[in-house]
Amino acid sequence: MKNKERIPTMKDVAAEAGVALGTVSKVFNGFPVGESYRIRVEQAAKKLGYRVNNYARGMRTNRTNTISIIMPMICHPFFSKLTECIIRELDSHNYNTFVSVTDRNPKAEARCIRMVAQNKTDGIIALTYDPDFNNIGNIPFVSIDRSFTGSCPCITSDNYTGGQIAAAKLHELGCRKLLYARTGSPVPGETDKRGYGFENWCQTNSVSYDIINAKVDNDQMIEKIREMVENGTFDYDGIFCSTDLLLILIRNELNRLGIRIPEDVQMIGFDGSIDFYTGLPVCSSIEQPIEQLAKVAVNTILNYDSENTPSLICLPVRYIPGPTTKDWI
Amino acid sequence: MKNKERIPTMKDVAAEAGVALGTVSKVFNGFPVGESYRIRVEQAAKKLGYRVNNYARGMRTNRTNTISIIMPMICHPFFSKLTECIIRELDSHNYNTFVSVTDRNPKAEARCIRMVAQNKTDGIIALTYDPDFNNIGNIPFVSIDRSFTGSCPCITSDNYTGGQIAAAKLHELGCRKLLYARTGSPVPGETDKRGYGFENWCQTNSVSYDIINAKVDNDQMIEKIREMVENGTFDYDGIFCSTDLLLILIRNELNRLGIRIPEDVQMIGFDGSIDFYTGLPVCSSIEQPIEQLAKVAVNTILNYDSENTPSLICLPVRYIPGPTTKDWI
């Protein structure tokens, strides 16, 4: 509550630090200055209780040094790691990060966009399932896992190759009849390509396969699997699942029905989830390069150029063995 | 890129929507108006590409409708759920949320505070281990899990009662020699009270107990446990661990050494972690009321009154059985 009547200015900071006004300006605007100058300016600013008036600056330069990220949820191994990596990467560029959680709720997403626009964020990195999400005006926008037909860059794992790798690995491990099990949003997304890559490999290599595609509903998927086992039509020895979570749910159901994993059926998921408590893979999986996804998304939004940005950037994935295939020791 | 020369104003929106200017203002400032008016105003704003200039507003009212949250990490079951709950709660009050990740790094935390101050956020909710964190000026500040000797409100679980509940439950389940194992920050925090509550219950009820306190280092703790087992001084039949993660690490080591959980030794952790993939408790545990922690933290920061805020708010915890005690079926 000291200095309530007299708000310190940049000039006061310069005088206190014994440096030129331009040096103070550089420090507060993130330009390079000698480390000793930076420390003197920061100490002077702290002593005087000086704060950069970012609102005034926002009006002048129309840059806020903030990016918004939109996630369907955070309380989830893949999304929490992706969120953390994006925040850390933005932080390393001296950017602040707004985070919104929308949980596959288009209304909440629309509200986020409105709030984002009102706060004049410099851009949005979004993982969203809203079919109308496209319509966000002129804000720089980077999508993760969902392509908006060329209207903005999409950063994603190489899902197609991941599907191919999974099919090839199951076959290599001795599986002869494969199943692809997929749940998720009915909105078309890049993750659909996991199935297409899988299908392509099976067709090219004349391997027998089926596909079960349950829109969103995991319970529905479990129900189908159970029916097949109970009426004797479940004759697969290899299953590729669209996510690690789905794999665990199906594995638990198969175990309950007396089918052993990986002895009777081998399974590969997608995500590369590591158990938080043990540090071990949750299951055999196609690993998403989460840190690279974050780095490329941040790099793309900070150097946004709507004319010269690729519409789709796919990052390489790899197979990691886990306890649901026979190559796990 | 349309309307580049002519930026639409609130008046344009009012004319387009056919409503009074005051109605437009109410909509953009979050005041209640009839739903049909709100829709008309929003459609008009969308059509014209109108955006609220929040920077101008920030200068006028000195409110930004943003809160910053500071977390040591997000990629962690407790922190990711807490982060998500705080964001959702702030969102329900039409607040945007900045998120910073500091990973027990005082330097990163100091930088967060500087960035926060520069952005004129309305307040900070922080879970931090920085011993100097106190020094943040006049920004409304709510701490989670760490009390700053009365200088700002701290929201936390009732750790002391949790420690008592754990000791009482282990004794009720037949344990006669108890151990409290604790790792974590050397900075004093509210979570220290887990041990004090445990100790108090054991002393009051004349139950034999020991305490192992390893500052931060989980490896050091595992090493101590191994030594005790190997030299024959490990004679505990009940262990209370300061976190679920520590419990899992100790359990895995005890299993490796041939000690069965819960047959030989029963264990209770702290957090109430639920396995993401199975939805089951990771271990027997004292559950933290994460949603309530988030609600109370948000309520406290939005109604901040430095003169009349309690310095410490403890929310009730409860025991939940899991696979590391004999009451788990």
Side-chain angles (χ1 to χ4, degrees):
Chain A
M1 292 296 170
K2 287 176 290 182
N3 299 324
K4 207 176 179 177
E5 317 74 47
R6 171 77 173 79
I7 295 168
T9 65
M10 268 217 254
K11 272 190 187 169
D12 299 326
V13 175
E16 174 71 30
V19 301
L21 186 57
T23 306
V24 178
S25 172
K26 278 182 183 170
V27 170
F28 291 137
N29 286 289
F31 291 103
V33 298
E35 182 67 7
S36 67
Y37 286 98
R38 197 182 57 74
I39 291 168
R40 271 157 69 188
V41 168
E42 288 181 353
Q43 284 176 343
K46 192 175 175 182
K47 183 174 170 194
L48 298 177
Y50 174 81
R51 279 185 209 149
V52 175
N53 185 335
N54 230 38
Y55 285 94
R57 197 163 68 177
M59 291 232 285
R60 274 204 308 277
T61 67
N62 211 24
R63 293 287 281 187
T64 62
N65 267 51
T66 64
I67 295 292
S68 288
I69 60 184
I70 295 180
M71 288 282 157
M73 69 192 81
I74 294 179
C75 180
H76 175 295
F78 176 71
F79 296 129
S80 70
K81 187 167 177 199
L82 181 61
T83 301
E84 179 167 331
C85 289
I86 294 173
I87 292 173
R88 286 186 188 280
E89 188 64 23
L90 283 167
D91 188 62
S92 76
H93 290 90
N94 293 315
Y95 268 71
N96 292 318
T97 311
F98 279 124
V99 182
S100 294
V101 183
T102 56
D103 207 3
R104 304 185 181 203
N105 175 354
K107 256 187 153 174
E109 291 185 342
R111 192 150 57 94
C112 286
I113 296 161
R114 202 166 60 227
M115 292 170 82
V116 159
Q118 289 174 0
N119 273 281
K120 284 195 162 182
T121 187
D122 296 343
I124 299 178
I125 298 172
L127 203 163
T128 169
Y129 301 97
D130 176 4
D132 299 322
F133 195 84
N134 218 350
N135 195 0
I136 55 155
N138 291 323
I139 298 170
F141 177 71
V142 169
S143 169
I144 294 181
D145 270 359
R146 191 171 147 227
S147 169
F148 291 87
T149 53
S151 66
C152 70
C154 171
I155 320 286
T156 184
S157 292
D158 188 345
N159 293 290
Y160 192 86
T161 302
Q164 293 179 311
I165 292 173
K169 178 56 73 175
L170 287 170
H171 191 258
E172 180 196 321
L173 291 168
C175 303
R176 290 299 169 259
K177 181 147 190 206
L178 306 186
L179 174 67
Y180 175 59
R182 187 258 187 198
T183 55
S185 168
V187 177
E190 280 303 307
T191 56
D192 296 342
K193 294 181 185 168
R194 295 171 190 173
Y196 300 142
F198 173 88
E199 206 166 354
N200 167 276
W201 192 92
C202 292
Q203 287 174 354
T204 307
N205 293 277
S206 304
V207 169
S208 177
Y209 72 95
D210 282 321
I211 289 180
I212 305 180
N213 193 345
K215 303 276 174 187
V216 182
D217 202 332
N218 286 328
D219 292 342
Q220 211 179 315
M221 173 65 76
I222 299 302
E223 183 60 35
K224 282 190 185 181
I225 299 275
R226 177 166 47 231
E227 274 172 25
M228 292 173 79
V229 173
E230 287 176 349
N231 66 26
T233 56
F234 184 93
D235 58 353
Y236 309 102
D237 55 3
I239 307 179
F240 173 44
C241 298
S242 58
T243 66
D244 290 344
L245 172 57
L246 179 62
L247 184 151
I248 299 297
L249 297 175
I250 293 177
R251 184 199 59 185
N252 291 351
E253 183 62 16
L254 290 176
N255 282 342
R256 213 183 57 79
L257 295 164
I259 295 170
R260 294 166 307 162
I261 314 296
E263 295 84 347
D264 304 326
V265 178
Q266 298 186 77
M267 300 178 76
I268 295 177
F270 206 105
D271 276 351
S273 310
I274 301 298
D275 182 81
F276 177 77
Y277 298 97
T278 62
L280 296 174
V282 164
C283 58
S284 307
S285 188
I286 305 301
E287 184 190 47
Q288 300 212 57
I290 300 183
E291 283 179 39
Q292 285 79 357
L293 287 169
K295 265 189 207 295
V296 173
V298 167
N299 191 47
T300 305
I301 200 86
L302 295 188
N303 300 291
Y304 198 77
D305 170 3
S306 55
E307 308 291 310
N308 296 305
T309 299
S311 60
L312 181 65
I313 302 174
C314 294
L315 300 177
V317 295
R318 58 172 189 158
Y319 168 74
I320 52 166
T324 55
T325 48
K326 292 180 183 168
D327 53 349
W328 177 246
I329 313 119
Chain B
M1 292 296 169
K2 289 175 289 179
N3 299 325
K4 206 174 181 177
E5 318 74 48
R6 171 76 173 81
I7 295 168
T9 65
M10 267 217 254
K11 273 189 187 170
D12 298 328
V13 175
E16 175 71 30
V19 301
L21 187 57
T23 305
V24 177
S25 172
K26 279 183 183 169
V27 169
F28 291 136
N29 286 289
F31 291 103
V33 299
E35 184 65 7
S36 66
Y37 286 99
R38 195 181 60 73
I39 291 168
R40 272 157 68 187
V41 168
E42 288 182 353
Q43 285 177 343
K46 192 174 176 183
K47 184 174 171 192
L48 298 177
Y50 174 81
R51 280 185 209 150
V52 175
N53 185 335
N54 230 41
Y55 285 95
R57 197 163 68 177
M59 291 233 285
R60 273 204 309 276
T61 66
N62 211 26
R63 295 286 281 187
T64 63
N65 268 50
T66 64
I67 295 292
S68 288
I69 61 184
I70 295 180
M71 288 281 156
M73 69 192 81
I74 294 178
C75 180
H76 175 294
F78 176 71
F79 296 128
S80 71
K81 186 166 178 200
L82 181 61
T83 301
E84 177 166 331
C85 289
I86 293 173
I87 292 173
R88 286 186 188 279
E89 187 64 22
L90 283 167
D91 188 62
S92 76
H93 290 90
N94 293 315
Y95 268 71
N96 292 318
T97 311
F98 279 125
V99 182
S100 294
V101 182
T102 57
D103 208 2
R104 305 184 181 204
N105 176 354
K107 256 187 154 174
E109 291 185 341
R111 191 150 57 94
C112 286
I113 296 161
R114 201 165 60 226
M115 292 170 82
V116 159
Q118 289 174 0
N119 274 282
K120 284 197 162 181
T121 187
D122 296 342
I124 299 178
I125 298 172
L127 203 163
T128 170
Y129 302 97
D130 176 6
D132 300 322
F133 196 84
N134 218 351
N135 194 1
I136 54 156
N138 290 322
I139 297 170
F141 178 69
V142 168
S143 169
I144 293 181
D145 270 359
R146 191 170 147 228
S147 170
F148 291 87
T149 54
S151 67
C152 71
C154 171
I155 320 286
T156 184
S157 293
D158 188 344
N159 293 290
Y160 191 86
T161 302
Q164 293 179 310
I165 292 173
K169 178 56 73 174
L170 286 170
H171 191 259
E172 181 196 321
L173 291 169
C175 304
R176 291 298 169 259
K177 182 147 189 205
L178 305 187
L179 174 68
Y180 175 59
R182 189 259 188 198
T183 56
S185 169
V187 177
E190 280 303 307
T191 55
D192 296 342
K193 294 181 185 168
R194 294 171 191 174
Y196 300 142
F198 173 87
E199 206 165 355
N200 166 276
W201 192 92
C202 291
Q203 287 174 352
T204 308
N205 293 276
S206 305
V207 169
S208 177
Y209 72 94
D210 283 321
I211 290 180
I212 305 180
N213 193 345
K215 304 276 175 190
V216 183
D217 201 333
N218 286 327
D219 292 342
Q220 211 180 315
M221 173 65 75
I222 298 302
E223 183 61 35
K224 282 191 186 181
I225 298 275
R226 178 166 48 230
E227 275 172 24
M228 292 173 81
V229 172
E230 287 176 350
N231 67 26
T233 57
F234 185 93
D235 58 353
Y236 309 102
D237 54 2
I239 307 180
F240 173 44
C241 298
S242 59
T243 67
D244 290 344
L245 173 58
L246 179 62
L247 184 151
I248 299 297
L249 298 174
I250 294 178
R251 184 199 60 185
N252 291 351
E253 183 62 18
L254 289 176
N255 282 342
R256 214 183 57 78
L257 296 163
I259 294 171
R260 295 166 306 162
I261 314 295
E263 295 84 348
D264 304 326
V265 177
Q266 298 186 77
M267 299 179 76
I268 295 178
F270 206 104
D271 276 352
S273 310
I274 300 298
D275 182 81
F276 177 76
Y277 298 97
T278 63
L280 296 174
V282 163
C283 58
S284 306
S285 189
I286 305 300
E287 183 190 48
Q288 299 212 58
I290 300 183
E291 283 179 40
Q292 285 78 358
L293 287 169
K295 265 187 206 298
V296 173
V298 167
N299 191 47
T300 305
I301 200 85
L302 295 188
N303 300 291
Y304 198 75
D305 170 4
S306 55
E307 308 291 311
N308 297 303
T309 299
S311 60
L312 181 64
I313 303 174
C314 294
L315 300 177
V317 295
R318 59 171 189 158
Y319 168 73
I320 52 165
T324 55
T325 48
K326 292 180 184 168
D327 53 347
W328 177 246
I329 312 118

